[in-house]
DNA sequence: TAGCGTTCTGACCAATTGGTCAAAAGACCA
DNA sequence: TGGTCTTTTGACCAATTGGTCAGAACGCTA
């Protein structure tokens, strides 16, 4: 295949590339970009390093592809919040989805956290682009709900930050959470959901 | 100085070691342990690499010393929560102190976050030791307040997690926050404090 | 089954990185 | 001023790391 045009990828190429993405997600999410090595990824994928580099141009290329797919997954729970729905139901649902994402996709959460923590050098303008736009968009909805007196008035952007923070915490700071609680894997997310629910919808002060 | 016993460190030693800690905090918090290099730290401190290694045994040793000092600073705001005080005042104060820590010591927050994110390999047993003990301790206090009907009943440990999450978010995810808000440095922490206050003490639902 | 494109490998490379060492340069006090 | 201890440096090293390359092995189809 000497011509510059890309030919349709073979079945093996699709499989192996997926295998590599999976392995890379493991390694990158656990060690960050700099901390991860091609050897680790290759081993996790059960391939030799040169073989790995047959499927991906470079370490950066693997990471970039993971990043690409990440942001969408990341923002979908928020996208699904329906402007025409009932505020209580919609917010409850959004928090629920975010918490489930932390439970079911902790590696993705950590990959994202690693990237942001280090200044988002590779996620770059995605943040001030699509992410900002979506938050802006949903803030309008929240403000409407507030104006209608259906939820308490507060800064909608910071409200979204608060939801992100409390839910992602359970994926990103998992070690700490487990150290405090002493594992008990099943109860953890149930109790977290209950606490967040009470805190957000009732508040701390008895009425 | 050939004898094994440590002699009292000179003035220069104290100064230079502090200089190095400061530089290392910059570099480690921005890139994580693996991502940071001795050359970067040396340059940030204005020293040559061998000179740096004259003051610290190894890269690990520098990081370890930062870690040592970190946990105490980290837990102090929670320690200060007074069991005999007014619940509302105490919780408000704790959230306030935590938010101020995020504003005034973002590097320390990120250093901590980096460590936890990657499985806390070097902070190790500090989490299931002193940290867990303190949370356990303050949970008792919170449970008492709940039993007395002075704050709404919920899981005290998860409540503490929620406070950690929403406050540290502003240090650890700063890039994201700025991308969404468009900097405006002054207002940021003020608005954050107001939103958390409303959310935690009033909740989302109008009464 | 022969041929050809795809997949895979071992050997290798240059750059980076944590760390060492002998010796030079400074600082301080008798 | 000389001598001794502390501080600093340039040169160097071994290990690791991202990446290359020529060719071997494989697998599909004519």
């Amino acid at each position: 295949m000497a011509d510059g045009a890309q030919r349709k990828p073979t079945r093996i190429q699709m499989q192996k590339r997926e295998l590599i993405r999976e392995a890379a997600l493991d390694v990158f999410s656990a060690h960050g970009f700099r901390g991860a090595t091609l050897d680790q990824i290759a081993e996790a994928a059960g391939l030799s390093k040169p073989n790995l580099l047959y499927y991906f141009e470079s370490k950066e290329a693997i990471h970039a592809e993971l990043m690409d797919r990440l942001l969408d997954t990341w923002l979908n729970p928020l996208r699904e919040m329906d402007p025409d729905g009932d505020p209580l139901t919609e917010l409850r649902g959004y928090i629920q989805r975010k918490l489930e994402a932390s439970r079911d996709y902790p590696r993705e959460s950590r990959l994202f956290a690693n990237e942001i923590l280090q200044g988002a050098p590779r996620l770059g303008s995605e943040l001030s682009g699509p992410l900002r736009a979506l938050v802006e968009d949903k803030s309008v909805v929240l403000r409407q709900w507030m104006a209608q007196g259906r939820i308490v008035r507060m800064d909608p952007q910071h409200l979204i930050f608060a939801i992100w923070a409390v839910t992602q915490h359970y994926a990103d700071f998992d070690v700490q959470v487990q150290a405090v609680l002493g594992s008990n894997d099943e109860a953890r997310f149930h109790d977290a959901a209950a606490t967040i629910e009470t805190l957000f919808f009732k508040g701390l002060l008895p009425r």
Side-chain angles (χ1 to χ4, degrees), chain A residues 70-71 73-75 77-78 94-103 105-114 116-117 127 131 160-177 189 192 196 200:
Chain A
L70 189 54
L71 199 73
T73 322
W74 208 241
L75 294 179
L78 182 52
Y94 176 44
I95 291 169
Q96 183 69 21
R97 289 192 295 277
K98 259 295 191 189
L99 203 52
E100 277 163 11
S102 271
R103 186 191 59 198
Y105 305 100
R107 296 178 303 172
E108 282 81 352
S109 189
R110 278 182 217 125
L111 181 65
F112 189 77
N114 258 309
I116 302 290
L117 237 189
L127 295 185
L131 183 134
I160 292 175
F161 291 153
I163 295 175
W164 286 351
V166 296
T167 53
Q168 289 170 26
H169 189 83
Y170 289 94
D172 303 342
F173 289 68
D174 182 57
V175 210
Q176 196 186 36
V177 170
F189 279 92
I196 296 170
F200 275 43

Side-chain angles (χ1 to χ4, degrees), chain A residues 99-184:
Chain A
L99 203 52
E100 277 163 11
S102 271
R103 186 191 59 198
D104 300 334
Y105 305 100
R107 296 178 303 172
E108 282 81 352
S109 189
R110 278 182 217 125
L111 181 65
F112 189 77
N114 258 309
E115 173 71 8
I116 302 290
L117 237 189
Q118 320 221 336
R122 297 157 213 285
L123 200 58
S125 54
E126 294 298 304
L127 295 185
S128 44
L131 183 134
R132 179 177 180 164
L134 180 64
V135 172
E136 208 74 63
D137 187 49
K138 294 301 178 180
S139 289
V140 173
V141 176
L142 288 169
R143 248 188 290 264
Q144 238 163 28
W145 289 343
M146 291 172 194
Q148 296 165 355
R150 305 213 274 171
I151 59 176
V152 169
R153 211 179 282 273
M154 65 187 77
D155 187 307
Q157 287 159 324
H158 286 276
L159 170 58
I160 292 175
F161 291 153
I163 295 175
W164 286 351
V166 296
T167 53
Q168 289 170 26
H169 189 83
Y170 289 94
D172 303 342
F173 289 68
D174 182 57
V175 210
Q176 196 186 36
V177 170
Q178 294 218 34
V180 168
L181 296 182
S183 66
N184 196 350

Side-chain angles (χ1 to χ4, degrees), chain A residues 25-44:
Chain A
L25 179 56
D26 256 14
V27 178
F28 279 135
S29 69
H31 305 290
F33 182 79
R34 267 295 306 268
T37 71
L38 285 180
D39 291 279
Q40 286 174 309
I41 298 173
E43 180 174 352

